Amino acid sequence: MSVVEQANYRVTEALNGIEVVDARYKNQSFSKHVHEGYTIGVIEEGTQKFFRSGENHFAHENSIILVNADDVHTGETASEGGWRYKAIYPTPEHFELISGDLLGSNALVPYFKDSVISDKKIAEQLRLIFEQIETGGSVLLIETLIYSTLLSLSNKHGRSVSIPKDTSINKSKLMLAKEFLDTYPQHDVSLDELAGIADCSKYHFVRQFGKAFGISPHAYQIQVRLLKAKQLLKAGVSIANTASDCGFHDQSHFSRHFKKALGVTPKHFQNQAILYKK
C-alpha cells in the first residue's frame, strides 16, 4: 500500500449534497474532534484505531466504522502500512429527509451504538455508492443507492424503525414518471422529482415502479438514453455529442453502457449503420 498521506473529498449533488472521502494514511493521527454529520466508512486496507464512546475500537479491512453526529472521536493507524478507507458523511438532516418522506416524522434519525460493524451487504452497497460518485453516475442512481443504504443501515444497526408496507400507487401516476423519462432522457432527474411526479414517497416510488414495469427507474433511464443514442448515431452525430445529448457523464461512460447493452461499441454500431444506409 502506498505510504502517501492523502484525502480526496467530493460533494455529490445527490440529496442536496453529501460529502464523501477516499483517504489513505500512514502517520496521520487525528486528535479528538467532532463532525456535524455522521461518519460511515469502509476500511479498504489496513486497520484503523479510533476512540469513540469512551473506549478505543479497531476497524479491520472490510469492516464498517460508524460515528454519530457530534460524537467525540480520534483516528490513527493500527497496522504497519497505514490504512485506507472510503467514507460518506450524511448529516442528521439527510436522515430526516428520508424519514420525513417515508414515515412522516424524524423517527429514522439513528443513533449507532456500535462503532465497528461487519456487514458484507451494506459494505458492498457503500462501495457501489462511492464507485458511482467517482465515475459520474446519474443523480437518480446515486440518490437511490444512498437512500436504500442509509435506510438499511438505520434499520439493521441503528434505532429500530417500523418500515411501512408498500402502498398501492395509481399506475397512471407511475406512467407520468415513465413518460417524463421517455421525453427527457438527457435530464439528470433526481429521485425526488420522479416521486413528485408520481405523487408518492421516494421509497414507495422505487419499489412500485419496479413492480409495475419490471425494471428500476435508473435502469429504465439508461434504456431510453440508449434508444435515443442509437437514433443519433444512425443520423451521423459524433459519439462525443451523442453521449452529451443523451445525458451520459462522458464518452467513456456512454461507451460502457452501450457495449454492455448491445454487445458492440458505439463506433462499431455507427459504422455498420451508416454502411447499411449506403
Side-chain angles (χ1 to χ4, degrees), residues 50-57 115:
F50 66 101
F51 173 89
R52 199 213 99 174
S53 301
E55 60 182 301
N56 288 316
H57 307 275
S115 300

Side-chain angles (χ1 to χ4, degrees), residues 18-21 38-41 86-90 126 129-130 146:
I18 294 184
E19 186 178 300
V20 296
V21 67
Y38 294 79
T39 300
I40 301 169
K86 293 185 179 182
I88 186 170
Y89 298 94
L126 287 168
I129 291 171
F130 300 136
I146 293 175

Side-chain angles (χ1 to χ4, degrees), residues 243-267:
S244 177
D245 291 346
C246 293
F248 290 99
H249 178 64
D250 54 30
Q251 187 172 327
S252 175
H253 187 224
F254 165 53
S255 296
R256 287 198 304 272
H257 278 292
F258 194 94
K259 186 171 183 180
K260 183 178 179 180
L262 282 81
V264 297
T265 65
K267 182 176 180 61

Side-chain angles (χ1 to χ4, degrees), residues 135-140 184-189 218 221-222 224-226 228-229 232 239-251 253-254 257:
T135 59
S138 74
V139 170
L140 176 59
Y184 304 103
Q186 75 284 359
H187 183 51
D188 201 6
V189 62
H218 172 257
Q221 181 188 55
I222 293 297
V224 294
R225 286 179 172 179
L226 292 175
K228 180 179 180 180
L232 294 178
I239 295 172
N241 286 342
T242 295
S244 177
D245 291 346
C246 293
F248 290 99
H249 178 64
D250 54 30
Q251 187 172 327
H253 187 224
F254 165 53
H257 278 292

